[in-house]
Amino acid sequence: MTRILQFLFISLFINLITTTQVKASVDPHTLSNIDDVKVSHMSLDLTADFEKKRLSGSITYSLNWQKKASKLVLDSSNINIGSVTARCNNQWKPAEYTKQSKDEILGEAIHISVNNQCDRVKLQYHTSQNSKGLQWLEPPLTAGKKHPFLFTQSEAIMGRSWLPMQDTPAIKLTYDARIQTPKNLRALMSADFNHKAPLDGSFSFTMNEPVAPYLIALAVGDLHYQGWSKRSGVWAEPVILEAAAKEFEDTEAMIVATENVFGPYPFGQYDLLILPPSFPFGGMENPKLTFVTPTVIAGDKSLVSLISHELAHSWSGNLVTNARWQDLWLNEGTTSYLENRILEDIYGAPLAKMEQVISYQALLEEFKELEPEHQGLVLPLTGIDPDEAFTDVPYTKGQLFFLTLEQHYGRKNIDSFLKNYFKHYAFKTITTPEFVSYLQENLLAKKSSTPLTIEQINEWLTKPGLPETHYHPSSEKLSNIDHAIKFWKANPLIPEKIQTKNWTTQEFVYFLTNLPKDINAEQIKVLDKTFKLTNSKNAEISLAWFPITIHNDYRASFAALAEHFKTIGRRRLIVPLYKMLAKNPSQCEWGASTYQQARSSYHPLTQSTIDKVFDCKSQEL
Ligand code: BES
Ligand code: ZN
């Protein structure tokens, strides 16, 4: 009897814990208490100290109480707190706080004792050497090599390492900032500011549109501006400014193309900022100021789909935002669909289709390696660091989902669905179940000769692989490349006979990724000599070529490969190559020592990813 009672008691207790956890927040990657109190505005007053490599200063939080409660809980990671004060009943006074012990993934929650009488909290702090969301670059790692550079990366959960805050996309807030810098440098933020502010060491920013915390961004460097239109231009170091302005000159046309279909651009200004090559991403859609890797400046606009991608996030991501990282596909899948539509509009369907096929192939390859539970659109991320767990699935499977909807309901319907969706959820956040019910009401209810059922939609969300009825990308241009590959297979020593004169980057990438895996020493040498692949300056061609040279141990390319590793820190361009080297016992040591030489130039995020890659000793056993 007592046993039964005990059991009942325990299960009731477990139930209580789980229900309170679920209620506490829809986002498992925050320790903050947004159901009690929401921060509606932050006022930053920070100094960028390049000598100590730290940000220091204060944040003042405006509180919006949701219920009667007695604390404010903030996310933080490697933050040193100086003091905490609160304004309660119109009076500022010290507030008590405790820092919780560290959670490896979520960091250290800060519990501040305040109640509903308090409407402001002010926290003095500085960041540390281990703040993962910051990269402090010495001059040699910049384009101009004369001035240092600092940039932040907050998505997904690294914002808390430089801004103690409620670090969850389940909330949106406005902010303002004063940033102090050395006098010869300029600070930029994802906000409104005076583009012509004098270099007097102090810069002011205001962000009046509410955004999710992961979209707050800062960069400091020798930065100059070139505009294309009233609302759009590019910031870069002077030595690359002109090249960047030329490469991305179609940006304004891209904004207009997106507005024509999906509704007005919601954030006023749209600028790009070109970062040093150690930037760990291709691009980051910081509002009003997209951060861009310099590795997409190819000289021929061949890699500008990255700009259409980041621009598209202004609607899918920045305006309408995934409420938690499991739902990342709502940001990235919708954006990948829009990205391709923008590309089609500006550069034509043949290019857009080539890009579709290339990403489709990459997704199918990825499925081969990925556990089934990571193949649904909704990612099982609880207990996992979202910054280490991203794949092509939310991007490309998400894009295919929208292409499939388009196939079943027609482009006109999908366009008006998305336009209304952006309007309906503007400046709000959304979870997958909310999206699905909106979809049911506003698209699935539409007439179609081949309607989709809710079961079919759920298959996309939770099942591995692709549903049977998925859209199959195809490209005439790439079918021609299949002929070239066939020719090469029959005549591997005369690649000069293949007519490549008018090939675009996409055609070369497809050609290289679809060659047979095993290529002998002579064949690979001729291939390299004919198309000058080892020395290609196009990052996507290098990314397609180096796996071939690594797989076939073509050492003539390794000096260039080492240079690639030393000069580029964008994860997507280096991690797959390091992984290949790590797997091959005869290349592992070379890979590990090349990594050791390059490591200090990488962003902390890139370092933590690649630190896990090499374990050459275990291979010898
Ligand atoms: N928002 C992402 C980058 C991101 C995603 C950062 C998740 C942290 C967590 C950005 O829009 C993106 O997708 N960048 C891609 C480029 C894009 C063209 C696919 C990248 O960096 O490779
Ligand atoms: Zn994206």
Side-chain angles (χ1 to χ4, degrees), residues 262 315-316 319-320 338 418-426:
F262 301 107
W315 287 261
S316 42
L319 183 64
V320 179
L338 262 58
L418 282 172
K419 189 175 181 173
N420 292 332
Y421 163 71
F422 294 137
K423 202 167 164 197
H424 187 83
Y425 285 100

Side-chain angles (χ1 to χ4, degrees), residues 255-268:
I255 306 173
V256 173
T258 323
E259 287 187 311
N260 285 342
V261 186
F262 301 107
Y265 174 71
F267 291 96

Side-chain angles (χ1 to χ4, degrees), residues 37-242:
V37 56
K38 285 192 169 79
V39 172
S40 57
H41 183 87
M42 296 202 292
S43 236
L44 320 179
D45 189 354
L46 298 174
T47 300
D49 183 337
F50 281 84
E51 242 133 64
K52 294 203 178 98
K53 294 196 162 75
R54 70 190 197 191
L55 287 173
S56 63
S58 69
I59 306 182
T60 306
Y61 310 86
S62 303
L63 307 183
N64 182 1
W65 292 93
Q66 309 291 303
K67 57 163 96 129
K68 199 166 182 304
S70 56
K71 62 184 173 191
L72 165 70
V73 184
L74 301 174
D75 293 296
S76 88
S77 173
N78 293 305
I79 293 284
N80 298 292
I81 303 172
S83 70
V84 184
T85 50
R87 189 173 80 176
C88 309
N89 299 318
N90 269 324
Q91 243 189 328
W92 283 98
K93 55 171 198 216
E96 280 182 18
Y97 72 91
T98 54
K99 216 166 158 189
Q100 300 296 104
S101 60
K102 188 181 179 124
D103 177 288
E104 270 316 310
I105 295 168
L106 305 180
E108 301 133 310
I110 305 170
H111 288 240
I112 301 168
S113 300
V114 279
N115 59 32
N116 308 57
Q117 310 294 309
C118 312
D119 63 349
R120 296 272 192 287
V121 164
K122 183 172 180 177
L123 187 141
Q124 297 276 355
Y125 75 102
H126 65 81
T127 60
S128 75
Q129 294 285 342
N130 299 325
S131 290
K132 222 179 163 184
L134 298 175
Q135 190 177 12
W136 300 87
L137 296 169
E138 299 289 348
L141 295 175
T142 65
K145 314 219 181 296
K146 281 198 211 108
H147 300 279
F149 204 109
L150 161 70
F151 66 87
T152 65
Q153 169 62 36
S154 299
E155 191 181 14
I157 59 168
M158 297 188 294
R160 65 194 66 178
S161 75
W162 69 281
L163 294 173
M165 59 180 172
Q166 294 185 320
D167 191 10
T168 166
I171 64 159
K172 293 201 176 188
L173 41 71
T174 52
Y175 70 92
D176 64 73
R178 183 175 71 134
I179 305 291
Q180 285 177 282
T181 69
K183 281 226 167 75
N184 49 356
L185 301 181
R186 180 179 296 280
L188 304 176
M189 288 193 85
S190 54
D192 288 314
F193 56 90
N194 173 10
H195 280 45
K196 298 203 170 111
L199 294 183
D200 61 3
S202 179
F203 300 89
S204 303
F205 304 89
T206 49
M207 182 58 175
N208 295 326
E209 292 92 352
V211 288
Y214 75 88
L215 291 169
I216 305 177
L218 165 70
V220 179
D222 179 21
L223 294 165
H224 297 253
Y225 188 68
Q226 193 163 321
W228 297 297
S229 66
K230 231 176 135 199
R231 62 173 168 181
S232 186
V234 58
W235 290 96
E237 290 185 65
V239 292
I240 51 167
L241 183 57
E242 207 177 305

Side-chain angles (χ1 to χ4, degrees), residues 520-588:
N520 72 32
E522 203 185 347
Q523 293 165 356
I524 201 167
K525 209 166 127 191
V526 176
L527 206 53
D528 193 10
K529 204 170 147 220
T530 311
F531 301 128
K532 306 196 173 41
L533 295 161
T534 293
N535 295 316
S536 170
K537 288 280 159 282
N538 186 299
E540 292 296 325
I541 293 179
S542 304
L543 183 65
W545 171 243
F546 285 132
I548 298 176
T549 74
I550 296 171
H551 178 81
N552 295 290
D553 206 28
Y554 174 60
R555 296 273 166 164
S557 81
F558 276 37
L561 180 58
E563 197 51 30
H564 176 89
F565 285 136
K566 273 182 216 154
T567 48
I568 297 174
R570 179 179 168 194
R571 279 199 305 185
R572 187 173 154 274
L573 295 181
I574 56 175
V575 173
L577 304 175
Y578 276 129
K579 282 188 174 160
M580 284 185 75
L581 293 167
K583 271 197 204 139
N584 186 330
S586 76
Q587 298 170 333
C588 191

Side-chain angles (χ1 to χ4, degrees), residues 155 283 285 309-310 313 331-332 335-336 395:
E155 191 181 14
E285 66 273 25
H309 178 97
E310 305 310 334
H313 272 307
N331 278 14
E332 298 299 344
T335 293
S336 299
Y395 289 80

